[in-house]
Amino acid sequence: MTQRENEKPVQVKKPVRISGEASSTAKVLPTYYYLSNFLLMLEGVARRYGDLLDEVELGFVDTFSALTPDAQCLLVRLISRQGPWFCEAQLNYSEIEGIPEAISELFKHSLICYEQPDTAWLLQKSTKTELSQALVETSQALVKDIKRLKKSELIQYAQETGLLPNLLRRLAPAQHWFCLSPQVVYRRFELLYFERMSQSLSQFILADLGIHNFEAYSTSIASRSFNTRAEIEGLYTLSSLYQEFEEGGLSGKPSDIGIENFDSFCQRLTELPDFTKEAGNEKLNRMTQGLWLMAARQLERLGHFERALALYGNTKKPPSRERQARCLNKLGRDDEALEFVELMLASPMEESERLVARRLQKSLHRSLGRAAPKPWQGEFDTFKLECQRTANDENLEGRESNAEGAGRVEQCAARHLSTMQGEQLRLCVEVENRLFCSLFGLAFWDIIFTDVGGAFANSYQSRPSDMYQSEFYPRRKQAIDKRLAALASGDTQMIMEHFHQKCGITNDWVHWPLFEELSFDALGLESAQSRDKDQTPLLLQLALTAFSGAFLANLFRQMLFDLRYYRAGFPDLICFHLTAEYLAIERHATDDGAPNLIDSRVTAELIEVKGPGDALRDNQTVWLDWFNRNGVKASVCYLSWLD
C-alpha cells in the first residue's frame, strides 16, 4: 500500500482503567501491565511506521481499539500463551470479569475462530491425569489398572479399543476450543517495533521489573530501518522463512529432514529479491545471507556438496568461504579448496576466518602431498601450580562455573597467586572477558548509542543492531578514530566519566557487577574513611593505572576488527603488582575519599588458568600472544590438585 495523502496518524485508544496503577519502579507489575505494554508497542509502530501500514494492520489497530477492556485483556493474554488452540475451560484470569463474554466479543469482531484442535497436538498437550479422567468418563469398561499406564500407553489403549474418537470429544468439546484468526497480526507489530526476530513482548516485562535499565537513545523516524512497503513485506517474508526453518523440521538432524520440503524451501530462497540492489537495505540483505548460510549448511550435512556450494556462493558472509573450501575438499577438489583458504589468509573478513584457514591450509597441504606450513601457536609462557582443595573448592565440585563465570580452578588460582612479597603485593582478580569488554563499552559509550540509521528501533536495546556486523566501525569511523586518538594521547577521562554517568544502565559490553567484586578491604583500608557510593571502584582505578591510554587504544583497534570474536578469549585472571608507594595509599587520598594512583607504581599481568584435562581455545591463544607482543605479560597456569 502506498502512502495516502492527508492521512491522519494512527490512533490507539487506551482503556480508562489502566491509569493510576502501581508504579513499575516498585518492581511489582501492575494488574494490567501486559495490556499497557501491548498498547505501547502499537503506539510505537504507529509513530514510526504509520505511513507504511497496510489495510490489514490498520484494520487490526482499529478493531482492537474498539474492543471493551476485558476483550482487549483476553486477546493480549491469548497472544502471550502457547497455542495455536485455546480452551475456554483452561482460561482463568482474575482481572478479566467475564471471560465467556470476552470470547464472544472477540468472535464477533472476527479475531478468533471456533476450531477443533489437531489430534496429535491435543494428545501431546493433554496430561496423563486428563487422559485418564476423560477415558473413565468415556467408558466404564476399562482395564482395572488404567491409572498405572504411562501416557503413551493410555493413548495406545484408546486407539486399540476404538475409544479415541470419544476421548477426543471429551477432551475437546465443540465450541470450547478456538484459535486466533489471521486478522490478529500482532507478530507483524512485534517485528516492526523491535526490528529483531529475537525480541518480543516479554522484553517489556524485564524493563518493568527493573531488571534492565536502558540508555535514552534516539529512535527517530529518520533512522528507521524500512522506508517502503516493499521493504516491510521483505521483512515479513524473511521472518516467516526463518520461522519455517526453525519450527518446520528443517533445522534438525539430517536423518529427520524431508528432502522434498527442503527443496521447496530452497526454491523460495532463490526467488527472493536482492534487497541490497533493489532496496539498498542492508538489514534485509543480512537476513537473506543468514538464510543462505543456514540452508547451505544443511545441504552440506545431507551430503549434497555441489548444491551446498551453489548456495554458499550466494553470500560472502563468513563462514561461506570456509564451508566452500570444506565442500570442495569433500568432493576431492583440493586445489580449488586451497585457493579459498589462501584468499582467507590473505584478506580475512573476520579473525575466525584467519584461524580456521590456518588449520585447513595444513590439512590441504598434507592431502596434496606438499610440505605443511609450520603451525602457528603464539608466544607465551606457561607454569604449573599445585593447590590443596579447600572447603569452598569441595562445594564447587562438579560445577563448571558460578553465575558470574568464575570457575573453581580460577578462584583457587586467584587465591594462591595473591601474595605479599616484601613490600610488594600481588593482587589477583578473576575477570575473564568482563574487564576489557567493560573498558571498551565505557570508552565508546556515547558512540555506541549515537543515532545511526537503523541502529535503534525501540527503547529496549542494549546495543545497536549492527554492533557485531562488519559495517559497525565504518559507519562510525570518524568518531571512533577520534576517540582512539584521544586514548593514544593518554586521555582516559571519558572512561571514568561514562562510568559515573551511566552506572547501572544496560550496555551489552559493560558488566557492572564486576566492579563491586574488589573492595578496598582487600588492601586493609577498611577503616580509613567511609567510601562514597559514587567513588570510582578500586578495580577500575587499578586497571586505568596499570594500562596506559595508548595500550588501550591498540587493544580496542584489535577488537574493532571483529567485535563478536574478540569480545571473548581474554585470560581468566588479572594480577596487579602494587609497590610500597601504593600500600601507603591512605596518605595520598584525594578530597573525595578516592585513592590517588597517579604516582603509584601499579603494573599488571594476565593469566589463563587451565584445570586438569582443559585445553586452550583458539581465541585464548590469540589473546595471549597479542598481550605479550604488546608489552603485557600473559601466561598460562596449569593447575592440578594435591591429593
Side-chain angles (χ1 to χ4, degrees):
M1 185 188 77
T2 57
Q3 184 175 352
R4 294 171 288 192
E5 295 183 3
N6 302 320
E7 183 178 36
K8 294 181 180 180
V10 180
Q11 298 293 325
V12 182
K13 293 192 296 184
K14 295 183 179 180
V16 175
R17 66 182 184 186
I18 288 181
S19 60
E21 297 194 58
S23 170
S24 61
T25 58
K27 296 187 179 182
V28 175
L29 292 176
T31 304
Y32 301 101
Y33 72 93
Y34 57 93
L35 181 56
S36 299
N37 291 337
F38 192 79
L39 291 169
L40 182 63
M41 180 182 71
L42 294 183
E43 291 168 351
V45 172
R47 182 181 66 254
R48 198 166 164 90
Y49 287 108
D51 60 313
L52 299 179
L53 299 182
D54 68 5
E55 296 294 345
V56 173
E57 292 148 1
L58 292 170
F60 174 72
V61 173
D62 291 341
T63 302
F64 186 84
S65 297
L67 296 174
T68 62
D70 271 349
Q72 285 186 338
C73 286
L74 181 59
L75 183 60
V76 179
R77 284 292 197 184
L78 294 175
I79 286 170
S80 303
R81 286 175 71 111
Q82 274 195 330
W85 291 281
F86 309 97
C87 180
E88 179 182 328
Q90 296 175 354
L91 302 178
N92 180 24
Y93 301 107
S94 59
E95 77 277 10
I96 302 177
E97 297 170 359
I99 289 180
E101 293 78 9
I103 291 174
S104 298
E105 185 178 351
L106 294 179
F107 178 73
K108 176 184 176 182
H109 286 85
S110 301
L111 294 173
I112 64 170
C113 307
Y114 287 108
E115 180 181 291
Q116 294 297 98
D118 177 78
T119 298
W121 181 90
L122 180 61
L123 292 174
Q124 190 270 329
K125 290 293 182 180
S126 299
T127 65
K128 176 186 173 181
T129 301
E130 289 171 335
L131 291 171
S132 299
Q133 181 70 25
L135 278 172
V136 170
E137 295 172 354
T138 298
S139 173
Q140 298 300 320
L142 298 174
V143 294
K144 295 181 179 180
D145 57 349
I146 186 173
K147 293 184 178 180
R148 297 183 180 181
L149 297 179
K150 297 178 181 178
K151 179 179 176 180
S152 59
E153 293 172 334
L154 284 172
I155 296 173
Q156 183 179 359
Y157 174 78
Q159 292 172 329
E160 293 174 348
T161 57
L163 295 174
L164 185 59
N166 292 334
L167 172 64
L168 294 175
R169 281 193 293 271
R170 179 67 62 176
L171 291 172
Q175 297 296 304
H176 282 216
W177 286 86
F178 56 89
C179 61
L180 298 176
S181 79
Q183 294 185 38
V184 183
V185 289
Y186 74 95
R187 182 55 182 155
R188 294 190 188 182
F189 287 89
E190 278 187 335
L191 287 169
L192 288 174
Y193 185 81
F194 292 106
E195 294 185 6
R196 298 177 66 190
M197 292 182 293
S198 59
Q199 284 185 300
S200 64
L201 285 166
S202 60
Q203 179 62 73
F204 289 102
I205 301 175
L206 297 176
D208 289 341
L209 292 172
I211 296 173
H212 289 165
N213 179 22
F214 294 92
E215 177 64 282
Y217 44 75
S218 172
T219 56
S220 64
I221 295 177
S223 64
R224 67 186 183 183
S225 298
F226 313 105
N227 292 295
T228 67
R229 183 65 200 182
E231 292 178 78
I232 289 180
E233 293 294 341
L235 171 67
Y236 296 159
T237 299
L238 292 170
S239 299
S240 65
L241 286 172
Y242 269 100
Q243 184 176 7
E244 178 183 347
F245 189 88
E246 294 297 335
E247 299 177 7
L250 300 179
S251 61
K253 298 178 180 179
S255 58
D256 299 332
I257 297 174
I259 193 63
E260 296 80 9
N261 293 337
F262 202 79
D263 287 341
S264 173
F265 181 84
C266 291
Q267 178 61 37
R268 275 171 288 151
L269 273 184
T270 60
E271 295 169 354
L272 287 173
D274 187 329
F275 292 107
T276 302
K277 292 181 179 178
E278 296 189 16
N281 194 299
E282 186 58 38
K283 180 168 288 189
L284 294 179
N285 183 51
R286 288 200 304 267
M287 292 177 67
T288 305
Q289 291 190 63
L291 282 168
W292 284 118
L293 288 172
M294 290 162 57
R297 189 69 181 96
Q298 284 298 73
L299 282 172
E300 185 183 348
R301 291 190 180 103
L302 288 166
H304 297 273
F305 301 117
E306 291 285 4
R307 292 182 61 189
L309 276 172
L311 263 63
Y312 281 131
N314 289 316
T315 174
K316 295 181 180 178
K317 181 181 178 181
S320 174
R321 295 192 293 187
E322 172 202 343
R323 301 316 313 177
Q324 289 181 74
R326 292 187 184 277
C327 285
L328 289 167
N329 175 245
K330 293 286 187 181
L331 292 168
R333 295 153 61 180
D334 290 344
D335 284 317
E336 295 176 65
L338 189 58
E339 290 179 10
F340 272 101
V341 168
E342 290 174 345
L343 183 61
M344 291 162 62
L345 288 170
S347 54
M349 293 182 180
E350 296 178 352
E351 182 59 34
S352 55
E353 265 204 331
R354 190 201 320 268
L355 293 172
V356 76
R358 286 171 177 163
R359 293 196 298 271
L360 287 173
Q361 183 187 44
K362 179 181 178 181
S363 174
L364 289 169
H365 271 257
R366 185 166 54 245
S367 178
L368 291 166
R370 303 178 186 177
K374 183 179 180 181
W376 181 85
Q377 296 178 330
E379 295 186 8
F380 48 87
D381 293 334
T382 64
F383 66 95
K384 295 181 180 180
L385 179 66
E386 293 183 329
C387 295
Q388 186 71 47
R389 297 178 196 265
T390 65
N392 184 56
D393 297 324
E394 296 294 341
N395 291 335
L396 290 171
E397 186 70 49
R399 304 180 193 176
E400 290 187 3
S401 61
N402 62 19
E404 294 299 328
R408 178 168 54 93
V409 294
E410 290 85 356
Q411 292 176 340
C412 183
R415 289 197 307 271
H416 282 75
L417 293 173
S418 294
T419 59
M420 185 72 188
Q421 299 176 344
E423 294 185 335
Q424 189 174 61
L425 171 67
R426 182 164 68 175
L427 181 63
C428 288
V429 186
E430 195 279 327
V431 293
E432 200 178 13
N433 303 314
R434 297 176 296 164
L435 177 60
F436 292 110
C437 284
S438 294
L439 293 176
F440 178 91
L442 292 171
F444 296 103
W445 188 293
D446 52 330
I447 300 173
I448 290 172
F449 290 104
T450 194
D451 187 12
V452 174
F456 297 101
N458 57 80
S459 303
Y460 303 95
Q461 291 182 222
S462 60
R463 64 176 188 269
S465 61
D466 63 346
M467 183 84 248
Y468 301 113
Q469 304 299 328
S470 58
E471 61 264 25
F472 173 81
Y473 181 18
R475 295 179 75 188
R476 302 161 179 80
K477 189 174 188 307
Q478 184 175 358
I480 290 176
D481 287 349
K482 184 178 180 181
R483 183 61 45 83
L484 289 172
L487 285 166
S489 69
D491 181 8
T492 59
Q493 188 60 34
M494 83 290 295
I495 295 178
M496 288 283 199
E497 291 175 355
H498 287 150
F499 179 88
H500 291 294
Q501 293 170 5
K502 308 296 183 180
C503 190
I505 296 177
T506 301
N507 180 324
D508 203 42
W509 288 88
V510 182
H511 302 257
W512 296 114
L514 168 69
F515 296 105
E516 301 174 3
E517 294 179 11
L518 184 62
S519 69
F520 288 91
D521 299 355
L523 303 179
L525 304 177
E526 178 181 11
S527 61
Q529 50 192 309
S530 62
R531 302 299 179 183
D532 193 291
K533 65 177 181 178
D534 294 325
Q535 172 192 312
T536 302
L538 177 59
L539 179 60
L540 183 57
Q541 293 186 55
L542 289 172
L544 293 182
T545 305
F547 302 114
S548 68
F551 173 84
L552 292 177
N554 287 335
L555 177 74
F556 298 154
R557 284 193 190 95
Q558 181 77 3
M559 295 173 69
L560 284 162
F561 175 64
D562 186 346
L563 288 174
R564 186 184 299 278
Y565 183 85
Y566 279 123
R567 66 173 294 139
F570 288 101
D572 296 309
L573 308 182
I574 182 168
C575 289
F576 294 107
H577 297 267
L578 315 176
T579 66
E581 294 169 278
Y582 187 92
L583 298 178
I585 199 169
E586 287 183 287
R587 295 198 302 271
H588 304 291
T590 58
D591 293 337
D592 64 358
N596 178 5
L597 308 184
I598 295 177
D599 298 323
S600 300
R601 294 288 305 277
V602 179
T603 58
E605 66 173 301
L606 302 168
I607 299 174
E608 175 66 29
V609 183
K610 292 297 177 186
D614 197 4
L616 286 172
R617 299 192 304 272
D618 285 341
N619 56 355
Q620 293 173 335
T621 301
V622 168
W623 273 126
L624 289 165
D625 178 77
W626 187 91
F627 280 112
N628 279 292
R629 285 189 291 104
N630 285 271
V632 174
K633 182 180 179 182
S635 55
V636 181
C637 168
Y638 289 99
L639 183 145
S640 59
W641 301 111
L642 289 170
D643 296 327

